[in-house]
Structure formats: structure tokens, C-alpha cells
Amino acid sequence: MNLSPLSQDFVLHFGEMGSRWGINRTVGQIYALLFVSAKPLNAEEIADALQFSRSNVSMGLKELESWHLVRLQHLPNDRREYFSAPEDVWAIFRTLADERRKREIDPTLSMLRDALLATPANDEDKFAQKRMTEMHNLIEMATSWFNDVQRLEPETLKQLMKMGTKVTKLLEMKDKIKVVAGGKTSIGVSR
Amino acid sequence: MNLSPLSQDFVLHFGEMGSRWGINRTVGQIYALLFVSAKPLNAEEIADALQFSRSNVSMGLKELESWHLVRLQHLPNDRREYFSAPEDVWAIFRTLADERRKREIDPTLSMLRDALLATPANDEDKFAQKRMTEMHNLIEMATSWFNDVQRLEPETLKQLMKMGTKVTKLLEMKDKIKVVAGGKTSIGVSR
DNA sequence: CTATAGTTTCAGTAATTACTGAAACTTCAC
DNA sequence: GTGAAGTTTCAGTAATTACTGAAACTATAG
């Protein structure tokens, strides 16, 4: 691998973590390489830098494309495809969250919905359904909330996160604040 | 498998999803079984219900214990160990999030911190470090926020989630609200 | 202490997943 | 069209991970 020690560590680490994140080592390393690379790279360069076979790189890139985690572009007077990781880390975060939700949550939600429609055959089924309902409701709420929050402007989100749990202070206040419908917001102490 | 079709579907689904969640099929199924089961089960019963070898169950339970996802208990006049999934789905959610953070995020954060301490050898390293900084900051902020939010009372959290993006309305207001230090909250329009 | 019920470990094997290199396919300049 | 450059597919193989059954270990009742 013809990379600086700094990048190399980063790339290798992502390879290792890949397995914990449900992507394979190759894919993790390719992504890491693109992430720290200042310029887009073509498949040949990637294969060379990481010492993978050309076809392995091709499959890895395909995988990354399916995750919407790389951008494909062409350089003038060059037929080869160049790949890069999106610059905006927030966008990456969002993409990752979306994709994981699609793969890891949605199928479960839909299975749960089906299960909850079924008529319980006995007491055990009734209990099982109760548990499934709890699980369904929690997942439903958490994901839809996450979904909402996720699409806030990065700046707003940042502000929100920086507040941390202080946001609950606002919640406590909520009851005392009256928001007048119709665009204009008036603040006053109720009661 | 001697389970009702309802539970069986649930258990099999968790087995399948297991692989996407970084746990294996066996472990996923064991967990699902415990989750929908009204009473704690011993290893024998689990092996029997899921048609796994006794030792496979033993290893699966060990794995689940390491994730803090099952409770071990003893029944009176019975030497066998009985296992159950915690009843509170919020607690499960929290545990899961904690464990995943430990395994999937923390190592990366620490690697990034190390990398950021290194002296860049050239321009490429400088660029790489810039990218790593962005990633580090984002992960740091997101996880510590998540951490905070996660430990709120379930009720508060629920309330927060139900509000969805409306929370930003409160944010907009924030500037106009003055919180007086010292316990008592006074509300007034600033400027 | 011994017998027995219960649990864990581990070496061997099965199943799955990742990777390679050769061949097929695609695209484009000429 | 032809050929060269680039990309993808895929069958075979390597590497990894999951699973089993037998043996070792542990705890307890008597």
C-alpha cells in the first residue's frame, strides 16, 4: 500500500470496523480511502493503493454505490470513472442513517405490522402480540422522530445537539408559553 | 420448532435480521424467543424450541449476556438457569444503543483522536487530517448528544419525540426567553 | 465423598462470505 | 466496421464464521 502512515491507519481501521458495520473489509477500506483522498480516484488507483484485485474493487464500488456513499464522475479527456466520497459529512451521516433504516429497521417494522394484524390463537400469542406492539410502537416513534430531526438544517441540528438535555428545560416551559396561531408568535405567561 | 406460527415468524425474522445487525442467526433467534416468551426459559427449552444444539444455545446466551440483553434468574427448587429479556423496551433500546456505541463508534473515535495528534507529513496528510477532523467532530457531537437524550426519562423522551421538528419552534423562541438562574423561571420578551 | 444434573469448552466440520483471475461485455476513437 | 481501453461478471477457491457433539468442568443433594 502506497499511502502515508496516517492514511494507512485510517484505511485499515475502517477495514476492521467494516465487519462490525455490516460491510466487508474491502468496502470499508475503499470508502476510507476515498474519504481522505483530496481528488477523485479511479478503480485502478484504488486497486493499486489497497492491493486488491481489480474486480474486488469493482464489486466494492458497486456496493458503495448501492449505499449512495460515493459519487461517480468523469474527468475531461479521460474515459475512466472516478469516484469520490461526498464532501459534506452531514450528508454522509444522513445517507448512512437512511440506508441503515431501510435495511435494518423497515423490514422489521413491516413484519411487526403483519404480526399485529394476525388473530392470536391462544394466551401465549396474546402475550407475544403485546410485546410486539410495544416494540413496534417504540421503533415507529423513534424512527419517525429520527427521520424528522435528520432532515433539519445542519445548523439547526447542531444548535439542538449543543443544547443537549437543556432542551428539556424548554419542554418544561412549553406549557407556560402560548403560541398564537396564524404565523405571529406571541409569548406570555398563561394562568 | 414447537412454536405458534406467530412467534415462529417473529423468531425467524430476527434470525434473518441478525446478520444485518452484526449478531448471528442463532443469537437473534434466541433473543426473539425470549422476548415474546411470557416466562423465563432455560437453555434446554430454548435448544428444544429452536432446534439448536445445546452448546450453540450456551454460546448464544453468553453472547447475549455480554450485550447485557438478557437477565439470568433462578426459579425456586430448580438448579437450572433461566433467561428472560428485560420487560422495558426502552431499557432494551438504551442497552442496545450503548453496546453498539461501545463496539462501533468508540474505537473509531479513539483512532481519530490519535490520528489528529499526529504531525502531517505533507499536503495529502493535511487534507486527510482535515477530513478526519470533520468526521471526528460530527461523531463526537452526535454521540454525546445521543448519550444525553438517551438517559432522559422515557416519558420526557416520548414527549420530545412526539413533538418532532416542532422542537425547533421552541429553539426559535429560545432567544426571546430569558431564564433566570436560581431555580425560578421567569419568562419575558427581550428587546 | 459420590452420583447426578447442569453448563461450558473446544476440536472438527459445515456453511457462508469474501476474493481472485480469466473471460465477457461495453464504449468510444479512428 | 475494428481495436484498444475500461468495466463487469462469474466460476472456482480461500478465508471466515457458525455449529455440533463429545468431553471436561462445576455445583449440589444426599
Side-chain angles (χ1 to χ4, degrees):
Chain A
M1 219 189 284
N2 186 21
L3 292 170
S4 76
L6 188 72
S7 299
Q8 181 162 333
D9 284 355
F10 182 79
V11 164
L12 291 177
H13 176 89
F14 261 66
E16 295 310 315
M17 292 312 277
S19 48
R20 302 195 194 180
W21 279 80
I23 61 179
N24 68 36
R25 199 157 43 83
T26 315
V27 174
Q29 292 195 13
I30 294 175
Y31 183 73
L33 178 63
L34 292 175
F35 183 80
V36 293
S37 167
K39 356 170 164 256
L41 302 175
N42 64 45
E44 191 71 36
E45 291 167 329
I46 296 171
D48 187 53
L50 302 178
Q51 300 284 62
F52 293 152
S53 75
R54 188 61 191 69
S55 57
N56 199 4
V57 171
S58 169
M59 286 174 131
L61 287 170
K62 231 178 102 185
E63 177 88 11
L64 284 171
E65 282 187 277
S66 86
W67 281 81
H68 300 109
L69 278 179
V70 291
R71 274 183 336 123
L72 189 156
Q73 58 194 295
H74 285 274
L75 299 187
N77 301 321
D78 192 336
R79 261 172 61 195
R80 286 170 299 184
E81 298 178 327
Y82 283 80
F83 297 87
S84 59
E87 333 62 38
D88 177 2
V89 282
W90 281 99
I92 295 171
F93 185 74
R94 216 176 305 128
T95 303
L96 214 60
D98 275 347
E99 295 293 328
R100 294 194 82 166
R101 187 177 44 70
K102 262 190 234 145
R103 283 157 220 242
E104 302 179 359
I105 313 285
D106 290 356
T108 300
L109 264 182
S110 108
M111 179 272 293
L112 286 172
R113 265 193 279 270
D114 289 350
L116 295 179
L117 290 177
T119 314
N122 48 41
D123 279 358
E124 279 183 26
D125 270 5
K126 271 192 198 127
F127 180 85
Q129 256 183 351
K130 205 183 107 220
R131 296 290 271 159
M132 292 185 206
T133 308
E134 292 169 31
M135 182 180 276
H136 173 270
N137 291 349
L138 185 131
I139 297 178
E140 181 96 288
M141 181 161 65
T143 53
S144 82
W145 176 66
F146 199 73
N147 232 13
D148 288 349
V149 166
Q150 206 191 182
R151 0 217 128 257
L152 294 175
E153 286 301 308
E155 270 317 308
T156 315
L157 196 45
K158 226 170 176 171
Q159 209 186 344
L160 192 62
M161 289 191 170
K162 287 234 171 93
M163 288 186 73
T165 51
K166 288 203 209 74
V167 78
T168 57
K169 296 266 163 51
L170 286 176
L171 267 185
E172 285 161 20
M173 246 178 254
K174 197 189 68 168
D175 302 330
K176 302 173 196 159
I177 298 170
K178 207 170 52 190
V179 178
V180 176
K184 277 205 115 182
T185 300
S186 99
I187 297 173
V189 181
S190 64
R191 199 168 336 114
Chain B
M1 219 189 287
N2 186 20
L3 293 169
S4 75
L6 188 72
S7 300
Q8 181 161 334
D9 284 356
F10 182 78
V11 164
L12 292 176
H13 177 89
F14 261 66
E16 295 309 316
M17 292 312 276
S19 47
R20 302 196 192 180
W21 279 78
I23 61 178
N24 69 35
R25 199 158 42 83
T26 315
V27 175
Q29 292 195 13
I30 294 175
Y31 183 72
L33 178 63
L34 292 175
F35 183 80
V36 292
S37 166
K39 350 168 167 261
L41 301 175
N42 64 44
E44 191 70 38
E45 291 167 330
I46 296 171
D48 187 54
L50 302 178
Q51 300 281 61
F52 293 150
S53 75
R54 188 59 193 68
S55 58
N56 198 6
V57 171
S58 171
M59 287 173 130
L61 287 170
K62 231 178 103 186
E63 176 89 12
L64 284 171
E65 282 186 277
S66 86
W67 280 81
H68 301 109
L69 277 179
V70 290
R71 276 182 335 124
L72 187 158
Q73 58 194 295
H74 285 275
L75 299 187
N77 302 319
D78 192 333
R79 263 170 61 193
R80 288 170 295 184
E81 297 179 327
Y82 282 79
F83 298 86
S84 60
E87 334 61 39
D88 178 2
V89 283
W90 280 99
I92 295 171
F93 185 74
R94 217 175 305 127
T95 303
L96 214 61
D98 274 347
E99 294 294 329
R100 293 193 83 165
R101 187 178 44 70
K102 264 191 232 142
R103 283 155 220 243
E104 302 180 359
I105 313 284
D106 290 356
T108 300
L109 265 182
S110 110
M111 180 273 294
L112 285 171
R113 265 193 280 269
D114 289 350
L116 295 179
L117 290 177
T119 315
N122 50 39
D123 280 359
E124 278 183 25
D125 270 5
K126 272 192 198 126
F127 181 85
Q129 256 183 352
K130 206 182 106 221
R131 295 289 270 160
M132 291 185 208
T133 309
E134 292 169 32
M135 183 181 276
H136 173 269
N137 291 348
L138 185 131
I139 297 179
E140 181 96 289
M141 180 161 67
T143 53
S144 80
W145 175 69
F146 199 72
N147 233 12
D148 289 349
V149 166
Q150 207 191 183
R151 0 213 127 259
L152 294 175
E153 287 299 309
E155 269 317 307
T156 316
L157 197 45
K158 224 168 175 175
Q159 210 187 344
L160 192 63
M161 289 190 170
K162 288 235 172 89
M163 287 187 73
T165 51
K166 288 200 208 78
V167 77
T168 57
K169 295 265 162 52
L170 285 176
L171 269 185
E172 285 162 22
M173 250 177 250
K174 195 190 67 166
D175 302 331
K176 300 173 197 160
I177 299 171
K178 207 170 50 191
V179 177
V180 176
K184 278 206 112 179
T185 301
S186 101
I187 297 173
V189 180
S190 65
R191 201 166 332 117

